[in-house]
Amino acid sequence: MYKIQTNASGTRSIDITDEHLQTIEDYQLFRDLIDSNGYVDEQVLDKLKLNLRSMLETDAGKDKRLLDLCLDVIYHANMKAFGLQQLVLLFINWKNRNSEQPADNS
């Protein structure tokens, strides 16, 4: 379980699970999300929400993990651009840690 800060003052946060991060990876939700300027602002958060809304209207919307991610994280009342930036950073660190671990061949 991870906790991301969702505002600059640190008074709000959201709990993130490995399953949330795995769902982000499985659906490649951050691919081509952030423009070349690298800034995560409210427009980027809105773009992610619109992408997810479209996915929920298709067969992917039947995936409980995707719905949980939306309810627990992306559409959480505390989620703002600052929180999305922290989520992206957490995802990058999580992905790097997982790629460094050797595969268990037993």
Side-chain angles (χ1 to χ4, degrees), residues 5-6 11-13 23-24 40-41 51-52 60 64 70 82-84 94 104:
Q5 184 177 320
T6 58
T11 58
R12 297 181 187 267
S13 62
T23 303
I24 291 169
V40 176
D41 57 13
N51 289 345
L52 281 166
K64 183 182 179 320
C70 290
F82 186 89
L84 180 57
W94 176 83
D104 186 12

Side-chain angles (χ1 to χ4, degrees), residues 6-60:
T6 58
N7 64 356
S9 64
T11 58
R12 297 181 187 267
S13 62
I14 298 175
D15 292 330
I16 309 295
T17 65
D18 283 313
E19 187 172 321
H20 291 139
L21 296 170
Q22 186 64 51
T23 303
I24 291 169
E25 181 176 8
D26 291 347
Y27 285 96
Q28 300 180 3
L29 296 178
F30 292 159
R31 175 174 276 174
D32 300 327
L33 182 67
I34 301 170
D35 294 331
S36 60
N37 62 18
Y39 292 115
V40 176
D41 57 13
E42 292 299 322
Q43 289 179 336
V44 174
L45 179 58
D46 290 342
K47 181 179 175 182
L48 177 61
K49 287 180 178 181
L50 288 173
N51 289 345
L52 281 166
R53 188 174 301 154
S54 295
M55 292 176 79
L56 290 172
E57 292 174 356
T58 66
D59 286 339

Side-chain angles (χ1 to χ4, degrees), residues 63-106:
D63 184 355
K64 183 182 179 320
R65 296 177 318 131
L66 185 62
L67 188 57
D68 287 344
L69 175 68
C70 290
L71 294 174
D72 297 344
V73 181
I74 306 302
Y75 285 94
H76 191 284
N78 291 339
M79 180 56 82
K80 304 291 184 226
F82 186 89
L84 180 57
Q85 180 179 359
Q86 299 304 307
L87 180 60
V88 169
L89 293 173
L90 172 64
F91 177 75
I92 291 168
N93 289 333
W94 176 83
K95 186 134 170 94
N96 287 339
R97 274 196 308 270
N98 287 344
S99 65
E100 290 173 0
Q101 293 177 356
D104 186 12
N105 294 333
S106 36

